[in-house]
Amino acid sequence: MAREAMAALELVEAKLEQVGKQKAKKVQDLLKQHLDKREPLLKRRYELVNGAEPTPQELQGYGGPAPGGSGAGPKGVPCFWLNVLCADETVGPTVTAADREALRALQDVRYVRGARGMVVELHFGDNPFFTNKVLRRGMAVEVDGEGQVVDVREETTAIDWHDGASLLVREVGGGRKGGSKKKGKKGKKGADHGHEGEEEEGGRRKRYKPAPSFFRFFTPLAGHKAAKVHDPTAEADEDEEEDAHGEDDDEEQGGSGDEGRPAGGAAGLAAAKRHEADSRVLEALIRSVVPGAVHLYESAPALDDSSNGGDDEDGFEVVGGGAAAAHGGGEALAPSAQRALHALKSVQAAIDAECLAYKTAKWDAAADADAQEQALLDERRDALARKPSSVRCKGGPPATSTTIPLFWLRALRASETTCLAVARRDERALAALADVRLRWDWSKMPTREQNERKCTVEWHFLDNPYFGACVLRKAYTFSCAGGSPNRLDLERQGEVLGEGPQWRSVPAAGGESEGGAAPASRDLTVRVVAGARKPKPTRSLFNMFKKGHLPHVFGTAGVGGDSEAAAAALQMEEQVVGELMAGPLRLSPLALYAQVEVEEGDVGDEEHEEDELDEDDDEGEDGSGDEAARGAAAARRRAKKGDKGAGALLASYLKPSKNCVLLSLLGMVGLAQVLMALDMLFGARR
């Protein structure tokens, strides 16, 4: 029977993989069609911004002044992109008063995507700061023969500054005569990354320090090389592939060394912050600036050729966005610019309609694929639940196991995050787990105004010694940044649906309870303590289905106060749900099952009290004593045993080292960058 079930599961996973490939191809086709349809609109926007005459159709409904006479002004919309960048909530704070002078020459912002990655391009006219006509920043993507992404790395343009014009450094203090010449404010291409230095000029030493600047976005991290910018639309040939694989293996994630990680210590933390900030700016340019430039312009402060921002004491004033009323809703513009802006609004409306059509089509494609997946997962559940055999448990009725014994218990033990929720006492009940599901609510597509998305996680159980056959459900509500269905954030605990497990009673010896007392419950979320008036809560996966008991799922109940414990537990629950969303545990558990060997005699039950946190609680029912200290001690004992449970993670919460914090931060930043890149490439909102 196990062999037949294994063959059935292999077939289901093969079909699921095929559904995933078909969905990916469909989304890719939709994205290509969307970008192709959007490109003429973006080109027309470029023309109008830079002086093209609006067509009669674009001017329909225009009631402003007609151009002519001395008040006509220049054609196009002056400082359009400067206003746009300053208005974006992510990009705007990075633009300084000094940057404005250079950004007045910005003529267009483009997003180029192809089989080999994506690039954001900023096109400039002549300016006194640098010679580059185009500045680029993007992601180069390598895929294998099956189309799977195998590498994602950042690439950027080196800025060719005019002598003495770099915006990345500023002169500070008074100069001194004599001395040796050190690195200073050079104009050579890519030479100035905004580091502190000195140089001599006419016998006088000038001192420079790094300055905040939007253009730092185009510089590599200190000590790292600037990567050569590629053409994302080009097709890879064999020579290029060999060259790519022949490059330094340590230049990943933006050309950073040391195996793709920034250096340790303070410099490493600063580099990690730079990575995170750059990723946010890149995402904003793709998701907000390129598709919604006119909307941003209308919400921007009035910055034109006569605008001179007041500098702060360091010479760099950070610019933020403003309301449309700051420039009278466009009435302060010259007549020709008002006509161009009216035409730009009609172009923006067409862009918005195309973006909505693409988003809707992608939503429908994902819903269709999910329906196919759910049907296949029904087949998997049926294969695991068919003709179950009985396994006798201590002191209880026969347990119903799956056709592949301990299938989900082994898969859960091999998982990266969900394993942290499984206590030893839960394992006998998990032997009857037939399926783990995640069901999305496809009835309403998220929007900017209604930016929520819901899903339900289901744990399907067969009849077992602890409770009857049932499906345990928990609903989650995510906030969707910008209305994107792919950018999710869990802000509160899930809502338990139903009553949770209906725990069975332990039959007393001889059939009657001692003293006529009610028979003990087989509730795995509590344990009986000698001398205690009532059972005490204990760590168990099944606390996830009891309101307010989430800290007891992951053993965080001893972390600080109640709010800290709840926050830590919520963070871990989000990781568990994220692991189900990512796919391997939900869609391909066979590989996880094969990673861990579990013998029948190694399966834990309620007699396994692995959680020393609870044993230390026996010192007093009133909860007195230092909970954090007891928790740390218990975590150390579990770590000494090599436990892969929540204890080891709890120890890192309670007593983190600088190296642990740094490595965790860098790991999360690296993973976030890869996921962000893949989301932008294959699931962009617009």
Side-chain angles (χ1 to χ4, degrees):
M1 181 60 66
R3 184 177 300 177
E4 294 177 7
M6 187 67 71
L9 264 60
E10 290 174 350
L11 180 59
V12 166
E13 289 198 3
K15 292 180 179 179
L16 286 170
E17 183 178 3
Q18 189 62 29
V19 170
K21 289 181 178 180
Q22 291 173 354
K23 174 189 172 183
K25 184 179 184 306
K26 177 66 173 178
V27 171
Q28 287 298 298
D29 292 343
L30 289 172
L31 180 56
K32 185 179 184 304
Q33 294 171 15
H34 165 62
L35 295 178
D36 289 344
K37 292 179 180 178
R38 194 179 70 172
E39 184 58 29
L41 299 173
L42 300 184
K43 182 179 179 181
R44 182 55 182 165
R45 181 177 69 189
Y46 164 77
E47 294 170 347
L48 290 169
V49 167
N50 293 282
E53 182 65 23
T55 65
Q57 184 177 3
E58 292 169 340
L59 290 174
Q60 285 185 358
Y62 175 68
S70 58
K75 291 186 177 181
V77 181
C79 301
F80 176 84
W81 288 105
L82 169 60
N83 280 272
V84 170
L85 295 185
C86 288
D88 183 80
E89 62 182 9
T90 301
V91 181
T94 70
V95 178
T96 68
D99 293 334
R100 296 185 197 177
E101 300 301 321
L103 290 174
R104 285 193 175 99
L106 183 57
Q107 298 177 337
D108 201 11
V109 179
R110 300 177 185 173
Y111 170 55
V112 182
R113 183 192 173 279
R116 300 183 63 188
M118 64 87 187
V119 165
V120 171
E121 298 181 344
L122 274 67
H123 292 248
F124 287 85
D126 293 336
N127 66 84
F129 296 94
F130 47 80
T131 62
N132 308 72
K133 293 299 182 182
V134 181
L135 298 181
R136 297 180 176 90
R137 178 73 184 268
M139 297 281 186
V141 177
E142 292 185 19
V143 297
D144 58 21
E146 297 181 353
Q148 299 298 314
V149 175
V150 296
D151 184 35
V152 179
R153 64 179 182 274
E154 297 177 11
E155 297 192 349
T156 184
T157 298
I159 302 178
D160 186 8
W161 297 102
H162 287 301
D163 288 340
S166 174
L167 295 170
L168 305 180
V169 294
R170 58 188 173 92
E171 185 178 356
V172 295
R176 295 177 298 171
K177 292 186 177 181
S180 60
K181 185 175 181 179
K182 298 181 181 180
K183 183 175 181 179
K185 187 177 180 182
K186 301 295 183 182
K188 293 181 180 179
K189 184 174 183 179
D192 181 11
H193 294 163
H195 302 308
E196 183 174 0
E198 299 180 358
E199 71 173 2
E200 286 187 17
E201 183 177 299
R204 179 177 177 272
R205 180 183 296 175
K206 291 184 177 181
R207 297 180 59 203
Y208 296 97
K209 286 190 175 182
S213 173
F214 164 76
F215 292 96
R216 195 168 294 280
F217 174 69
F218 296 98
T219 63
L221 294 174
H224 299 156
K225 300 177 183 178
K228 179 182 178 181
V229 175
H230 70 304
D231 177 6
T233 62
E235 297 295 334
D237 57 40
E238 294 182 1
D239 293 338
E240 288 176 328
E241 289 178 355
E242 290 178 1
D243 291 342
H245 290 293
E247 294 175 354
D248 294 339
D249 291 336
D250 62 352
E251 291 189 15
E252 299 176 3
Q253 294 298 330
S256 55
D258 190 21
E259 297 181 357
R261 296 188 299 270
L269 290 173
K273 291 177 67 175
R274 252 293 301 279
H275 267 301
E276 184 180 2
D278 287 356
S279 296
R280 289 197 299 266
V281 171
L282 181 63
E283 182 182 22
L285 291 172
I286 292 174
R287 294 181 181 275
S288 176
V289 172
V290 172
V294 177
H295 295 311
L296 289 171
Y297 178 84
E298 291 186 285
S299 67
L303 300 176
D304 56 31
D305 292 328
S306 62
S307 297
N308 292 308
D311 296 349
D312 61 14
E313 60 180 3
D314 292 326
F316 295 94
E317 175 185 317
V318 175
V319 178
H327 50 67
E331 295 176 8
L333 295 173
S336 59
Q338 291 188 44
R339 285 163 52 86
L341 181 58
H342 183 87
L344 283 168
K345 291 179 182 179
S346 68
V347 173
Q348 183 65 61
I351 293 174
D352 292 344
E354 172 52 38
C355 289
L356 178 60
Y358 162 64
K359 182 179 177 181
T360 303
K362 190 174 65 169
W363 175 267
D364 292 340
D368 290 342
D370 186 66
Q372 296 179 55
E373 288 178 355
Q374 295 298 335
L376 290 170
L377 295 179
D378 285 341
E379 295 181 17
R380 182 180 69 187
R381 179 200 57 205
D382 293 343
L384 285 169
R386 191 182 309 123
K387 296 183 179 178
S389 59
S390 295
V391 178
R392 180 68 61 179
C393 285
K394 302 175 184 178
T400 302
S401 70
T402 52
T403 52
I404 303 176
L406 311 178
F407 177 82
W408 280 104
L409 175 59
R410 289 173 59 171
L412 291 173
R413 276 195 179 185
S415 65
E416 291 293 328
T417 303
T418 312
C419 64
L420 301 176
V422 178
R424 285 279 285 161
R425 62 182 11 250
D426 298 328
E427 292 182 347
R428 181 61 62 186
L430 290 173
L433 181 61
D435 207 7
V436 178
R437 297 283 190 92
L438 185 144
R439 298 182 187 271
W440 288 107
D441 179 5
W442 296 100
S443 63
K444 182 182 296 184
M445 183 174 68
T447 64
R448 288 183 178 273
E449 294 73 26
Q450 298 179 338
N451 60 341
E452 288 188 345
R453 191 176 182 192
K454 298 181 179 181
C455 77
T456 302
V457 172
E458 300 179 349
W459 295 67
H460 295 238
F461 282 89
L462 304 177
D463 190 68
N464 61 83
Y466 300 92
F467 49 84
C470 65
V471 178
L472 302 181
R473 294 182 174 89
K474 197 167 186 179
Y476 297 90
T477 300
F478 298 87
S479 61
C480 306
S484 170
N486 300 316
R487 302 165 62 200
L488 307 176
D489 183 28
L490 184 63
E491 296 182 341
R492 57 183 181 273
Q493 292 186 21
E495 178 187 357
V496 178
L497 303 180
E499 299 180 355
Q502 301 300 299
W503 301 105
R504 287 180 166 141
S505 301
V506 179
E512 293 184 5
S513 300
E514 185 176 347
S521 170
R522 302 206 72 170
D523 187 347
L524 292 171
T525 64
V526 296
R527 62 186 178 86
V528 177
V529 178
R533 292 189 296 270
K534 58 182 180 180
K536 299 180 72 67
T538 190
R539 193 171 79 83
S540 171
L541 165 75
F542 296 99
N543 279 305
M544 191 176 292
F545 301 98
K546 294 178 67 174
K547 186 175 181 180
H549 284 239
L550 195 60
H552 293 291
V553 177
F554 304 103
T556 63
V559 180
D562 292 341
S563 60
E564 291 89 344
L570 177 60
Q571 181 180 7
M572 295 183 69
E573 183 177 35
E574 184 174 13
Q575 294 173 6
V576 169
V577 178
E579 187 169 38
L580 288 174
M581 290 166 54
L585 178 60
R586 177 172 56 95
L587 300 178
S588 52
L590 273 175
L592 296 174
Y593 166 84
Q595 292 178 20
V596 176
E597 291 287 344
V598 180
E599 300 294 335
E600 177 64 31
D602 187 40
V603 178
D605 56 24
E606 66 267 37
E607 294 185 5
H608 287 82
E609 293 298 342
E610 66 163 0
D611 201 335
E612 290 88 347
L613 277 172
D614 298 322
E615 294 176 2
D616 290 336
D617 266 347
D618 297 344
E619 296 176 6
E621 288 187 50
D622 58 353
S624 60
D626 187 348
E627 290 187 354
R630 293 200 304 272
R636 287 195 295 272
R637 288 195 295 272
R638 280 195 299 275
K640 206 174 280 188
K641 295 178 182 179
D643 182 16
K644 193 186 175 183
L649 186 62
L650 179 59
S652 68
Y653 277 126
L654 296 173
K655 192 177 179 180
S657 68
K658 291 182 179 179
N659 289 335
C660 289
V661 172
L662 175 60
L663 292 176
S664 299
L665 176 61
L666 298 182
M668 288 188 291
V669 169
L671 177 60
Q673 283 188 300
V674 172
L675 294 177
M676 184 182 297
L678 299 182
D679 183 32
M680 287 188 293
L681 287 171
F682 306 126
R685 173 174 63 87
R686 293 186 180 271

